[in-house]
Amino acid sequence: FSQTKTITGTVLDENEMPIPGATIVVKGTSRGTMTDFDGKFQIEAEEGEVLSISFIGFSTKELLVESAGNYRIMLSDDVSQLDEVIVTGYTSERKSDIAGAITVVDVEDLNREVSPNIITSLQGRVPGIQVNSGGTPGGNDSQITIRGLTTITAGSSPLWVIDGVQTFNPASLNPEEIASIQVLKDGASTALYGTSAANGVIVVTTKRGKEGVSEFSVKSETTLNMLRDDINILNARQWADVYYQARANDGISGDFNVLADNGSGFDLPEFLDEAELIRASDTDWVDVIIDDSFSSNTDLSYRYGEENAQVFTSLNYTKDNGIQKHTYYERYNARLNTSFDFWDDRITIGENFLYSNFNEVKANEFENAILQNPLIPVYTVDGDYTAPTIQDKANSLANLWSNRKNEQRNNRFLGNVFANIKIIEGLTFDTSLNFDYTRFAFDTRTQPFVQVGRIPSVFNNITVAKDRNSSLRTIFTNLLTYEFEMDKHRFNVLGGIEFTKEDFESEVELTNGVDITEYPTYIIKSDAEFRTVRNEIDYRKRSFFGSLKYIFDDRYILSGSLRRDESSRFGPNNKTAYYPAGSVAWNVSNENFLEDSKFISNLKLRGSYGINGNDQIPNYLYLSTFFDSSIGNAIEFLNYDIDGDGIGAAEGIVQARQANPDIKWEQTAQTNVGFDLGLLNNRISLTADFFDKRTTDLILQPIPQAINGEAEPPFINAGEVSNIGFEAILSYRNRGEGVLRYGIDLNFSQYENNVESLDTDNNFLLNGVSITRAGDPIASFYGLIADGIFRTPEEVAVHAQQPGKGLGRIRYRDLNNDGVINTDDRTIIGNPHPDFIYGINLNVGYKGFDLSAYFDGKQGHDLYNIQRNLGDFTYFSFNFGQNTLDAWTPENANSNIPALSTSNVNNETQPSSYFVEDGSYFRLKNITLGYTFPQQVSDNVGLTDLRLYLSGQNLFNTTSFTGFDYEVAGLGAGGIGVAGYGIPHTKTITLGISTKF
Amino acid sequence: CVSEDDLEVKEFNTISEDNLEPEALVISAYSALDYRFNTGQFRDLWPLDHAPSNWGTSDIRSGDAYKGGGGTGDNPGGGMHQLETHDLFPSSENGYNLWRSIYFGLKRVDAGIRFLVNLEDGEFDKRDVRLGELYTLRAHFYFEAMKNFGSIVWYDENTPVVELTSIPNTFDEAFIWEKIEDDLNKAISLLPDSQVDLGRVNAMVSRAYLAKAHLYQEEWQDVLTQTNIVINSGQYRLVEDIERLYSEPGYGNLENIFAIQFSINDGSQFGNLNFGDLLNSPDSPSDNSNHPYLNGDDFHKPSQNLANAFKVGDNGLPLFNSFNSINLGNDDLVDPRLDHTIGRPGITWKDWTPMAQQPNWSRDIGTYGLFVRKKNMIYPTSDGLASNPNGFPWALGNLDFPLIKYSDLLLWKAEASIETGDVATGIDIINRIRLRAKNSPYVKDFENPSEDAANYLINTYSTGMSQEMAIQALRFERRLELANEGHRFFDLVRWGIAATYTSEYISNEQSRRPYLSGANLAPHEYYLPIPQVEIDASGGTYTQRSGY
């Protein structure tokens, strides 16, 4: 007959300093608590029960309850810290057994990032990861690469393995529900994922119930979004003066549109139209379309665990309103992770379910707003939206308003059902049925707006589309693992078989001939036409794989693996791929000569080699395909009014794709050498890795030559690209220095990207300014060298033949000295790949306060500033950038901005180094100040870990880039760092509260 | 669970190579005439800067039109203004886009021919006729390539597909002309003189093209032979009402020997329309609903020089030497075709009653003046207009665009006759064309519809004139009758007068249009540069024309 005792105590470290946040659980029950900031706890337990006291980085201690009382419990440093088990994909491994390059992300740090998107949160946090993002609310335009770009045409996203579910799209993940993230970077660590692994693998496990814990967590935060970088354009008077001067320079005088030439400039009119409805204004159009906004994020989760059952469930609502009016991203997530143990824990059955509903209203009116003429008012004198006047830029605010209900609706159901059977000691069978179902719905419901007294024509006789698509991917994975030990020998054997099936279906219903006058009702005209465009895409993959790991005496680690993949995307002549890998490691610190070292607490040398594949290519490339106008929206391209009556058209047919029956995967072979070093009880740790990654059989689509016709040219496997680099993390963490806690992490990564060969007919790929060719990095900038401006007639006279050369114009360099400036003078004018990327994480805590600051930066990469195309050159009566105020004139002879002109005789918008700028930046990505109330205070309201925090993102930025956003989306041969008119990023301030009960 | 079927996938709703419908292949070759292709690229979707009407590559290079739009910097494709100022450069999008369109068209033709020639006898009863159509379309596309680029790549159905990219662009003109003639002669032997489907090529179309090919080679007798057959067939005539010919869908069917057929209500988003000319309708500030087309971009603006050319003397004949010394005034005597061809402020716009033409239909008067394009634009009230009520795509509708008109062919015969010394026959034909204009209804005054809108006067030439004078009359007549229909620049080049003519044009016009100052047409600029992208992509197979 046991008796309930009240146990109080203090948990201390070896230096007798209190450990806050340690977990105290009554073993075999769901009862538990945590220590407060003074390391104190209180719990009810019955005599004979056992308390388990644990804290990360320390050895777990157990305490038998004999009597009530106050205990002092001392935890000792878990020196190795390396017994921590890490999920590495199909398997879990002790950290000390790992021989590859795997970064374990600090999830707690990650959750300080105020972003609903996991990719954005990871930016800068992991060495070797590069993230390029636009500023779209929700961050869904973020792209990520690991250790440089290995591909030119195929997908570059790493594989995400979320609780075993493989996907290339992690967008639905709520960072709050993540328990751990491991980034697998080297070829051997990722090799078991074979043909999906060439871009690296990110393994995510979500939170689960924990034995002895029954706990609700609540977090709620509100974020103020503001425009991060200034956008500088001209006001109305400046614009009129600049444009007048540009015309005058060209010898054009007289009135322009509604602007009267007064002999020395334009008079700004009172009205822009004869009817006097449009009053000339001085509109800052960027200011018109942006608004500081609030975003919110609310998270509620519950976890519960007892001996044979664990439950974790969470609900999350997040809404990101961005800074552009009438656009947003919102997401509802619900998760349920449970597992049950049967038959003496020999069978575990469970599931991980994520339901995600996310909806977006997307638009980008920044180009319209930046280029819109400032003379134009937003509204007419009657209060209607102003129609395009002066030039044909639409009213960007009206566009945003009318688009505001055009919501793209997404549902995703992702997860698995699994069973785990321990057949005999060490032998386990795992089976899981993984699924990823997505459904997309988009109905255009553009609302007509009144514009100068009438509804614009664009809402009459239009086509409305009802767009639906869905895809279901199932991955059926079966694994058999056998772990056994003999003396000092440990073995781990794995065999697996996996089948992947993906079916995509889309249906677009088009109604052609609709009037919208009474929103949201349509009037479908009597002669309207209806069409339904359907498509289906199937994908299959069949895989067998196995691995063997051998560890001797915790000192020597040897492992190898092999995967065989067959994919429906590969051509009939190349159906099957094999991916071998091997790795070795030496735990030097477990050798006798280091075992007792007080200085070196951990030293491991690692080496690995592995071959991976990339099959993120379109399907059916081995088929030659023709289509008629029932596919896509192709009637106007294929059909012809052959009977000549002007009504209706006969159906045509055309080749859509040229086949390559040999098409296969891209193959990446990666060598990795690295070490882990821990000093002074691992207070200082350094991990460094060198890698050499070579991708062969690149999937390329050579530059099409018109002679081959309009059909997509065949994809071929040719060429090689290399990424050679280095990355390191250096951390220092104090421990036991009293109530003051602090730590610092530095991460650094660097890679050299180089196209080794490109065995196509034309040997290069050129997309606008971005060239990919042998000997240079992927997507290098290519063009003429702009050699300043002609400042004297003599300079013009002696210069090579350059059509359009003249005073104040750009002088291009005659690179081949043939006396003519032409396309033969083009060269590499910039490299969009950074010299290095780095992150600095500082955190400090004092009693209940915690402060962390996170800096990141990217150094030594070029950006191609296309904004200067229309911004610096006054060819068109759009608004211009402020550079035009400093344009070259004989009096302003030192200016580097070409003279104002309304024509482009010198062809200055052609690709040249004039537009190339250093894109390096350094910023304070996040700073967070938190305060956790003492347990006594929160106890009064029945809460634990009550924390308030204030966080700022992007509050400090430094860059010399003159465009309006130094972060530029795009990561592929199509263009990296080409700065156009993306949605600019925000800076934000967040106030949040979190607690548990 | 492991079997070969596990990996089997099927592509949805596509057609395999061995399952093609020959008629549909032929239709898609015709469909290429409008230069719209389904590559997913904007340049191929809307050929605004390289239209099949050749408004950019002919009219604005010839002095008959300005580029227009919202200033010289409003430059579709990036090289439109440079076409007008003859600052051609190999990396221009415009030339690249045109090259693509022509070779895409050739590839569609080729796909059809390869399929048809491999059919067994009796498999497809229309095989020979359709082959004849395709040979004629092939001649059309090579003709366009010759006129525009001069140095082109040639292949036919006997060229192995894998060798297509190994063919250089250095075939000489004689070789290409021979191939064009071969195709047309084959077509003539296969085709009936007329076809039920109006849009199809018949033997007369092939003959007209053959005549045109001979015309470009100054093989005058052959021109006469072929034009006579077409004329004697009686299938074509000069229609009576010029305004309707230029404005009313279907009205020109008898005069159009070969026209690109456009359609509406065909299931496509806007229609199969002349998107190459989308930008060329006049502007309407503030979406004024009294405007005929509600909006437009005001490209392809008739030049002052062209407008002046419509002035006539008291005898109703052109002022060959003095027309350009003083700008056209409101009270001047003018050829009645002026106001069918060129839009002028204050003048009635086709059948539009809410307003006469306004100055603000022009977007940048300071740069480009007040004339707007009027010819080959659909009646604003036509039920063939693509949008209803008016709106995007503005003035586009199912009005066909004429590639070869009967009047054009008649003038070829006239030219061949005069060049061979038969001035009387030549002048007779010219007079026939002038009489049609004289007898066609004139544009009426907007305020007072019982009166003409201007002082119109047109008379015939006397047949007794020197060959030299007759050549002058012929060339002037071609300019007036076919103004801004995409022929003029190519005429100037084949007459060998492009450089001198252009130089004189610019010397006067630059005082009206300052942006023309310094412009100069060098002889190498008679042809567009070979697109840089194609040269780069060819890996050395293609070579640039000298001078670029």
Side-chain angles (χ1 to χ4, degrees), chain A residues 341-355:
Chain A
D341 304 324
F342 300 96
W343 293 332
D344 295 337
D345 293 353
R346 284 180 58 188
I347 297 182
T348 303
I349 292 175
E351 88 293 309
N352 302 289
F353 286 162
L354 170 65
Y355 170 72

Side-chain angles (χ1 to χ4, degrees), chain B residues 158-173:
Chain B
N158 299 313
T159 312
V161 173
V162 291
E163 286 175 21
L164 288 184
T165 53
S166 319
I167 308 167
N169 62 323
T170 48
F171 291 97
D172 61 26
E173 293 195 14

Side-chain angles (χ1 to χ4, degrees), chain A residues 646-794:
Chain A
I647 306 291
E651 188 155 278
I653 185 174
V654 76
Q655 186 166 19
R657 189 194 311 111
Q658 301 169 40
N660 174 7
D662 297 324
I663 193 76
K664 61 174 184 178
W665 57 98
E666 292 181 345
Q667 179 162 305
T668 297
Q670 187 179 184
T671 309
N672 189 87
V673 178
F675 66 84
D676 303 317
L677 177 65
L679 302 175
L680 304 171
N681 275 356
N682 286 330
R683 270 178 221 160
I684 299 174
S685 66
L686 172 67
T687 293
D689 280 282
F690 303 84
F691 62 89
D692 182 327
K693 234 168 138 178
R694 284 175 195 274
T695 307
T696 50
D697 293 326
L698 290 176
I699 291 168
L700 300 176
Q701 206 172 15
I703 298 182
Q705 285 179 256
I707 191 117
N708 280 326
E710 79 218 77
E712 191 173 81
F715 284 80
I716 58 171
N717 291 96
E720 177 180 349
V721 65
S722 66
N723 287 279
I724 298 171
F726 165 74
E727 62 206 23
I729 320 176
L730 177 65
S731 302
Y732 175 77
R733 209 158 297 283
N734 88 325
R735 182 172 287 147
E737 314 274 328
V739 285
L740 182 68
R741 310 171 301 281
Y742 61 90
I744 176 166
D745 304 290
L746 306 171
N747 76 67
F748 173 90
S749 55
Q750 171 271 335
Y751 69 91
E752 292 276 345
N753 178 278
N754 188 47
V755 179
E756 301 290 328
S757 69
L758 210 65
D759 313 316
T760 64
D761 279 350
N762 22 63
N763 258 315
F764 72 100
L765 300 165
L766 185 60
N767 291 292
V769 300
S770 305
I771 195 169
T772 297
R773 66 175 189 188
D776 293 303
I778 292 174
S780 295
F781 299 136
Y782 187 64
L784 297 173
I785 295 177
D787 237 353
I789 282 177
F790 291 109
R791 296 175 203 281
T792 65
E794 294 71 37

Side-chain angles (χ1 to χ4, degrees), chain A residues 523-818:
Chain A
I523 299 163
I524 299 175
K525 292 151 63 87
S526 56
D527 60 349
E529 294 168 31
F530 304 89
R531 288 184 69 211
T532 302
V533 179
R534 287 196 182 83
N535 197 14
E536 292 175 9
I537 300 170
D538 298 335
Y539 166 60
R540 306 281 183 270
K541 187 167 78 174
R542 187 168 60 195
S543 315
F544 303 93
F545 49 91
S547 73
L548 172 67
K549 189 157 203 162
Y550 166 65
I551 297 158
F552 174 70
D553 196 21
D554 288 345
R555 284 185 288 160
Y556 306 105
I557 301 158
L558 193 64
S559 69
S561 68
L562 182 67
R563 175 157 174 144
R564 175 187 193 267
D565 273 327
E566 296 162 285
S567 164
S568 64
R569 286 183 184 148
F570 304 154
N573 303 342
N574 279 311
K575 248 339 190 219
T576 311
Y578 291 92
Y579 302 105
S583 58
V584 292
W586 179 26
N587 267 324
V588 188
S589 48
N590 287 350
E591 297 287 349
N592 290 334
F593 55 86
L594 275 182
E595 215 161 20
D596 298 323
S597 168
K598 287 281 175 211
F599 180 63
I600 296 179
S601 35
N602 178 35
L603 175 62
K604 181 160 70 174
L605 306 180
R606 298 178 274 105
S608 79
Y609 177 82
I611 292 176
N612 306 143
N614 185 352
D615 79 339
Q616 290 182 69
I617 57 172
N619 295 283
Y620 314 117
L621 295 180
Y622 51 88
L623 294 174
S624 163
T625 296
F626 285 73
F627 67 89
D628 58 28
S629 51
S630 66
I631 280 273
N633 196 16
I635 293 174
E636 47 270 78
F637 310 105
L638 296 181
N639 292 9
Y640 192 68
D641 176 30
I642 198 71
D643 65 6
D645 65 358
I647 306 291
E651 188 155 278
I653 185 174
V654 76
Q655 186 166 19
R657 189 194 311 111
Q658 301 169 40
N660 174 7
D662 297 324
I663 193 76
K664 61 174 184 178
W665 57 98
E666 292 181 345
Q667 179 162 305
T668 297
Q670 187 179 184
T671 309
N672 189 87
V673 178
F675 66 84
D676 303 317
L677 177 65
L679 302 175
L680 304 171
N681 275 356
N682 286 330
R683 270 178 221 160
I684 299 174
S685 66
L686 172 67
T687 293
D689 280 282
F690 303 84
F691 62 89
D692 182 327
K693 234 168 138 178
R694 284 175 195 274
T695 307
T696 50
D697 293 326
L698 290 176
I699 291 168
L700 300 176
Q701 206 172 15
I703 298 182
Q705 285 179 256
I707 191 117
N708 280 326
E710 79 218 77
E712 191 173 81
F715 284 80
I716 58 171
N717 291 96
E720 177 180 349
V721 65
S722 66
N723 287 279
I724 298 171
F726 165 74
E727 62 206 23
I729 320 176
L730 177 65
S731 302
Y732 175 77
R733 209 158 297 283
N734 88 325
R735 182 172 287 147
E737 314 274 328
V739 285
L740 182 68
R741 310 171 301 281
Y742 61 90
I744 176 166
D745 304 290
L746 306 171
N747 76 67
F748 173 90
S749 55
Q750 171 271 335
Y751 69 91
E752 292 276 345
N753 178 278
N754 188 47
V755 179
E756 301 290 328
S757 69
L758 210 65
D759 313 316
T760 64
D761 279 350
N762 22 63
N763 258 315
F764 72 100
L765 300 165
L766 185 60
N767 291 292
V769 300
S770 305
I771 195 169
T772 297
R773 66 175 189 188
D776 293 303
I778 292 174
S780 295
F781 299 136
Y782 187 64
L784 297 173
I785 295 177
D787 237 353
I789 282 177
F790 291 109
R791 296 175 203 281
T792 65
E794 294 71 37
E795 285 178 15
V796 178
V798 300
H799 187 61
Q801 185 192 328
Q802 174 182 317
K805 67 180 176 178
L807 273 181
R809 304 265 51 95
I810 295 179
R811 171 174 50 198
Y812 295 108
R813 190 178 298 171
D814 183 14
L815 213 61
N816 60 0
N817 282 314
D818 65 349

Side-chain angles (χ1 to χ4, degrees), chain A residues 356-386:
Chain A
S356 179
N357 169 268
F358 62 98
N359 306 312
E360 293 174 90
V361 171
K362 291 202 241 185
N364 180 359
E365 285 292 326
F366 280 91
E367 178 168 2
N368 275 340
I370 287 168
L371 298 178
Q372 181 67 290
N373 196 299
L375 275 165
I376 299 172
V378 182
Y379 302 103
T380 65
V381 294
D382 294 340
D384 301 332
Y385 286 112
T386 307

